[in-house]
Amino acid sequence: MATTPLPATPRTGPPPARSVLRDTAFLRLWAGTTASGLATWALPFVLGLAVLHRELGAAGLGLVLAARTAGFLVAVAVGGVLADRHSRRAVVLWSALAAAVAAPLLALGLGRSLVLMTLAAALAGAGQGACRPAFQALTAEVVAADRRQQANAAMTVAVRASTLAGPTLTALLAAFADVGTLLLGIGLLWLVAALLPGRGAAAPAPGAAAAPRASLRAEFVDGIREARRHPWFLAGLGALTAVIALGYSATSVALPLISRDRYGTEWVLAAAMTAYTVGALGGALVAARRRPRSPGWSAFAGLAVYGFAPLSLMLPVHPAVVIAAYVVAGAGIELFNVPWFTATQREVAPDKLARVSSLDFLLSYGLAPLGLALIAPAIDAFGVTPVLAVCASACFLLPAVAALVPTARHFGRTPGPRAR
């Protein structure tokens, strides 16, 4: 008697990982970050338009931008402590609202009160600075660990796209609106950044609310202690700070000079800066899916290739070589940034993540103005080629030295359990 065979049981494997771009909570956070990035990159351009329209002097522009940087540096440290002490979502809300309030104050002071504009710029910088570590820690709350590299890459794409779109959109809108109206538009972008992100998923530890709180200084020092527990983080932060303070600062000063004096045109400057951003976008897209066996070594190699940017400016090469070097440099920076942020979110204790992230921003961004201040006199004293040679050597050498730290190969501790 014939029997009907039973249907074969289909083999089931683990369900495919859901793309982070289909996660509503992350998309809201991503959109808020994008709005803050557009506002951040548009503000200096709008203030530059005010100088062109003679509503603000060159000295006044320098003072306003310096106040903005000072506000950023102070607030990024305080914001890291507050984001670990309170709700990260609340810190994003109030810091972005502060930046939103600063925009109409800038418009009110335009052409009337440089003091008001300076204070408003400091407030805008403080809002921007406090947002950064809170956004970084909120990403770890919203996104599961296995999708954070993709999420960090998407965040990086938003930041890099903002560097292109912010000034470009502002230039287009400037044909139809005055500077005051554009400043109000920046305030609306900060309002979007404040209101759009949702709450993080992490809950406070039991009993944490009842525990006595230390001072802001003590909690910041506690964040430094946490950073010192991760040798790969200290080594990476040192290499990153050196590349930004030396390599990025040197190219920022030298590229306009070389574009003018060697090539006799400004288009090399514009093309190189655009190529850097395009390369960074490409690097972020690659980093979203790339899983090298030695992520730390791969990331440090990406950081080191920034040295090709100052190296290309040393030599009398065709402009295409300079542009290609900037593409490579931009891609390398993001091949470092994405795994760097992901490892920080994975390895650092969750209740200290914002403080450790604030150290990252404080040193890597905070020492950049010092580098800019020293590079120009060094070029005047020693010439552009020797200075670029030293900076290119530092970009190649220091990430290689950082990669020698025992825990640097995988961006994580070798012994003991990892923080979750």
Side-chain angles (χ1 to χ4, degrees), residues 207-223:
R213 285 291 187 183
S215 66
L216 289 176
R217 178 183 177 276
E219 292 202 6
F220 183 75
V221 171
D222 195 30

Side-chain angles (χ1 to χ4, degrees), residues 31 34 63 82 101 119 133 142 162 187 221 230 241 247 333:
T34 303
L63 181 62
L82 294 178
V101 169
L119 294 175
V142 168
S162 298
V221 171
H230 306 277
T241 300
I333 284 291

Side-chain angles (χ1 to χ4, degrees), residues 56-418:
L56 181 66
L61 175 63
L63 181 62
V64 169
L65 292 179
R68 181 196 186 207
T69 300
F72 174 90
L73 294 177
V74 171
V76 74
V78 176
V81 175
L82 294 178
D84 282 337
R85 176 182 282 195
H86 305 290
S87 162
R88 277 88 185 250
R89 176 65 188 94
V91 173
V92 168
L93 172 66
W94 291 108
S95 56
L97 285 177
V101 169
L105 293 178
L106 283 167
L108 183 63
L110 190 65
R112 301 181 184 89
S113 172
L114 183 58
V115 172
L116 178 59
M117 290 194 71
T118 302
L119 294 175
L123 180 61
Q128 177 194 345
C131 268
R132 294 301 296 268
F135 270 128
Q136 184 75 4
L138 195 57
T139 301
E141 290 186 5
V142 168
V143 181
D146 61 338
R147 294 186 293 161
R148 285 180 191 157
Q149 184 152 330
Q150 186 183 22
N152 287 318
M155 288 291 195
T156 292
V157 168
V159 171
R160 295 302 178 182
S162 298
T163 65
L164 288 176
T168 302
L169 290 175
T170 303
L172 292 174
L173 292 173
F176 308 98
D178 58 21
V179 173
T181 303
L182 293 175
L183 288 171
L184 294 179
I186 289 174
L188 290 177
L189 286 172
W190 277 114
L191 194 60
V192 171
L195 301 178
L196 193 57
R199 293 182 178 274
R213 285 291 187 183
S215 66
L216 289 176
R217 178 183 177 276
E219 292 202 6
F220 183 75
V221 171
D222 195 30
I224 296 176
R225 292 194 194 98
E226 173 65 20
R228 291 174 61 186
R229 291 180 56 243
H230 306 277
W232 64 270
F233 180 84
L234 295 180
L237 183 56
L240 175 63
T241 300
V243 168
I244 292 178
L246 294 176
Y248 190 81
S249 297
T251 53
S252 296
V253 174
L255 179 60
L257 299 175
I258 290 173
S259 179
R260 180 196 66 193
D261 298 339
R262 180 185 299 166
Y263 300 108
T265 177
E266 288 91 12
W267 79 265
V268 176
L269 167 63
M273 296 309 297
T274 303
Y276 179 81
T277 303
V278 171
L281 287 170
L285 293 175
V286 171
R289 296 186 175 276
R290 188 167 176 261
R291 299 293 187 273
R293 291 185 178 182
S294 302
W297 284 0
S298 176
F300 281 124
L303 182 62
V305 300
Y306 190 87
F308 287 113
L311 184 63
S312 71
L313 298 179
M314 289 172 53
L315 307 172
V317 296
H318 192 276
V321 176
V322 175
I323 294 168
Y326 270 80
V327 171
V328 172
I333 284 291
E334 296 311 332
L335 290 173
F336 172 84
N337 278 340
V338 173
W340 169 259
F341 290 144
T342 304
T344 304
Q345 293 162 349
R346 181 187 68 239
E347 298 289 338
V348 171
D351 61 332
K352 300 178 179 67
L353 177 56
R355 277 170 282 177
V356 173
S357 297
S358 72
L359 287 174
D360 183 353
F361 297 125
L362 185 63
L363 290 179
S364 59
Y365 286 91
L367 292 182
L370 178 61
L372 286 170
L374 295 177
I375 290 294
I379 289 176
D380 290 338
F382 304 105
V384 65
T385 299
V387 171
L388 288 173
V390 170
C391 293
S393 299
C395 290
F396 288 127
L397 180 61
L398 294 179
V401 172
L404 298 178
V405 172
T407 56
R409 179 173 181 175
H410 300 288
F411 271 168
R413 298 187 299 275
T414 301
R418 290 179 176 178

